[in-house]
Amino acid sequence: MSTSSGTPESWISSFCAILGHEYFAEVSEEFIEDDFNLTGLQNQVPMYKEALEMILDVEPEDEDEDEDEEDRDEEEEEEDDDDAVMRGENGERLTGSYRRASERQQLRLANDIRVIESSAELLYGLIHQRYITSRPGMQQMADKYGLHHFGSCPRVFCNGARVVPVGCSDSPGQETVKLFCPSCLDIYTPPNSRFQSVDGAFFGTTFGYLFFMTFPEYELSSKGDPLNLASTNPVYNPNHDQPAATKSRSSSLTSTPVPTCSPTTETVAPPPPLPPQPAMINGIPTHNLAPGLGPGKIHENRIYGFRVAERARTGPRMKWLRDRPADINELDESARYHEQYGGDPEGEIFSGDGANGTGHFEQLSRRKKAPVRRRRKVLPDGATNGPPPPPPQGDVG
């Protein structure tokens, strides 16, 4: 293949340009030529050497050409033998249902090329799994992520959060590629069927989580309520500036309250204000910690405007999978631990008296400072290299 400028196109570029390979990044040849990056792949890919040469657009060596010439000579000899056998008594040639040696050679070469191409795709996919976790590969995928190449989450409450391709297994042939949403922390099948032939092992199980740890500054979802979810779910309130005032058995489809036996409504006090929320936890902004989960981000089953009870047979189940605390301080386990047992969240441990668990740190400090006991060596005469035994006590007579 060649580009519009007349220069031949590389195998890597042509592979990534195939319809359905839009998720792939172009692995640099420097990364592939480093033997350290290919450790352990020889046992997973058949015809590894030929596949690697095809990926790097390397011409086959002369040894292979010599072997092909030898095979060609042997096949010509077999062809002569076949011609001798397939002639009649008068020397005329008989037409039989046999395949000439040249045809067999072409068929074998075609089969070898198909096997090498399949092996090259498998090898490139496994190399790609390692490349996208490196710094240059991560930057390429970040550029694709910024241009919205991977699509968005189909879940309504994620507000169109952008997704990244991941795999459910690191071994090829297990699962196809999936899309990981950082807003709801779930995976989805790509909406287009052309991605169903892409192996998920070509992206691996590490990339999705490592990507958002490397780029924590990305905004995972849109600000505010772009889909007007508050109109269908009163609990949903992204700004937290309009607390609920009353609780009535009103329909979620209309604003007209449903008549009840008692004309009065039950007044509900607004929730207590939250304590000061941290801006970051473990280097990640708190507004990027699963923004698609939590109160108001879970669909509620309703029949004629009435919520279905959780104890009903058809009621909601396992809502805790989408749960997220309103107080982000509950997710800071390090601060909670040091608040309970004492110490500095930055890693400095202090000791002191009290019943808040500081004695635990004192025991650790004493345990670290305890001297190491050495085993005594027994000398040939039976004595030891330790201190001399104390003199026997008693009356001397």
Side-chain angles (χ1 to χ4, degrees), residues 245-325:
T246 59
K247 178 182 178 182
S248 61
R249 301 174 62 183
S250 60
S251 174
S252 62
L253 303 178
T254 61
S255 59
T256 304
V258 179
T260 57
C261 296
S262 176
T264 60
T265 58
E266 180 183 357
T267 303
V268 180
L274 296 175
Q277 301 296 300
M280 301 185 70
I281 295 180
N282 296 331
I284 300 178
T286 54
H287 64 270
N288 279 343
L289 294 175
L293 303 180
K297 306 293 183 67
I298 305 175
H299 177 68
E300 293 183 349
N301 299 332
R302 290 177 178 268
I303 298 179
Y304 297 112
F306 297 92
R307 288 183 295 179
V308 180
E310 297 182 357
R311 296 183 180 182
R313 294 183 178 181
T314 58
R317 297 291 186 272
M318 302 179 68
K319 295 177 64 175
W320 56 271
L321 288 175
R322 302 286 189 183
D323 195 12
R324 177 177 179 264

Side-chain angles (χ1 to χ4, degrees), residues 7 18 38 48 84 88 136 179 185 214 218-219 230 245 267 269 298 327 371 392:
T7 58
I18 298 176
L38 309 181
Y48 170 83
L179 298 176
L185 305 180
T214 307
Y218 279 128
E219 295 293 338
T267 303
I298 305 175
D327 186 4

Side-chain angles (χ1 to χ4, degrees), residues 23 149-154 161-168 176-182 184-192 195-196 203 208:
Y23 293 165
H149 281 189
F150 306 130
S152 58
C153 180
R162 291 172 292 182
V163 295
V164 293
V166 295
C168 298
T176 58
V177 64
K178 308 299 180 184
L179 298 176
F180 170 72
C181 175
C184 59
L185 305 180
D186 212 339
I187 58 175
Y188 301 89
T189 302
N192 201 314
F195 299 109
Q196 297 303 314
F203 297 89

Side-chain angles (χ1 to χ4, degrees), residues 48-96:
Y48 170 83
K49 181 180 179 182
E50 292 79 2
L52 184 61
E53 292 177 350
M54 178 175 287
I55 293 175
L56 296 176
D57 299 319
V58 177
E59 296 294 334
E61 299 179 359
D62 297 337
E63 297 179 358
D64 299 337
E65 296 179 358
D66 296 339
E67 293 178 359
D68 294 339
E69 292 179 359
E70 294 178 359
D71 296 340
R72 193 178 303 108
D73 295 338
E74 294 178 358
E75 291 172 353
E76 289 178 356
E77 294 177 359
E78 294 177 358
E79 181 181 358
D80 296 339
D81 296 339
D82 293 339
D83 291 343
V85 172
M86 298 301 295
R87 294 182 182 275
E89 298 178 355
N90 299 328
E92 71 276 6
R93 186 169 182 175
L94 302 177
T95 59

Side-chain angles (χ1 to χ4, degrees), residues 368-375:
K368 293 180 180 178
K369 297 178 181 179
V372 179
R373 297 182 180 180
R374 298 180 179 178
R375 183 178 297 178

Side-chain angles (χ1 to χ4, degrees), residues 300-360:
E300 293 183 349
N301 299 332
R302 290 177 178 268
I303 298 179
Y304 297 112
F306 297 92
R307 288 183 295 179
V308 180
E310 297 182 357
R311 296 183 180 182
R313 294 183 178 181
T314 58
R317 297 291 186 272
M318 302 179 68
K319 295 177 64 175
W320 56 271
L321 288 175
R322 302 286 189 183
D323 195 12
R324 177 177 179 264
D327 186 4
I328 304 299
N329 292 303
E330 298 182 13
L331 299 178
D332 195 352
E333 297 181 356
S334 177
R336 293 171 56 191
Y337 179 85
H338 289 88
E339 181 181 357
Q340 181 178 0
Y341 296 104
D344 188 1
E346 299 296 332
E348 298 179 0
I349 300 175
F350 63 89
S351 60
D353 298 333
N356 59 348
T358 55
H360 174 67

